[in-house]
Amino acid sequence: KGGRKLEGEITLNGKAPDRHFKTLVSYVQQEHALQTPFTVRQTLGYAADLLLDNSKYSAADRKNIIEETITVLGLKSCADTIVGDVFRKGLSGGQLRRLS
């Protein structure tokens, strides 16, 4: 009794993925997995702690990257707003998607 079989091809702009593929794409879950008591700034700081190599980025560099990301994502007006949940009002749906 066979299970389901998935077949397909992944392309980027019509071409097979190359070594830069992982720097251009990412998987985003349908439901966000953000820490609800964190603010936008804290959430991005947490991500920076996990993703940026401490030996390559100083604390000042990391702070600049976080602030630039907030600006690029259009989250400057809510940078100190908590993510929120059903019990605490927080970010809007669009803001959550951009932060994810």
Side-chain angles (χ1 to χ4, degrees):
K1 298 182 182 184
R4 294 176 189 234
K5 184 176 179 182
L6 299 176
E7 292 183 26
E9 183 178 342
I10 297 174
T11 63
L12 179 63
N13 296 328
K15 298 178 184 172
D18 62 11
R19 62 187 173 96
H20 300 291
F21 183 73
K22 288 184 179 179
T23 64
L24 300 172
V25 297
S26 64
Y27 172 78
V28 179
Q29 293 178 304
Q30 187 69 24
E31 295 293 322
H32 73 81
L34 302 171
Q35 299 294 319
T36 60
F38 283 17
T39 66
V40 169
R41 188 171 277 112
Q42 290 169 325
T43 300
L44 292 174
Y46 181 69
D49 288 343
L50 293 173
L51 298 171
L52 298 178
D53 187 348
N54 285 335
S55 66
K56 293 182 181 178
Y57 298 94
S58 68
D61 291 336
R62 295 156 86 81
K63 185 175 181 179
N64 288 336
I65 290 168
I66 291 165
E67 294 305 318
E68 183 178 334
T69 303
I70 288 170
T71 301
V72 168
L73 294 177
L75 297 173
K76 218 170 187 178
S77 64
C78 61
D80 295 309
T81 301
I82 64 168
V83 170
D85 55 26
V86 295
F87 303 108
R88 293 173 296 206
K89 182 165 174 37
L91 300 176
S92 71
Q95 292 165 334
L96 281 171
R97 281 188 291 281
R98 293 197 305 275
L99 182 58
S100 290

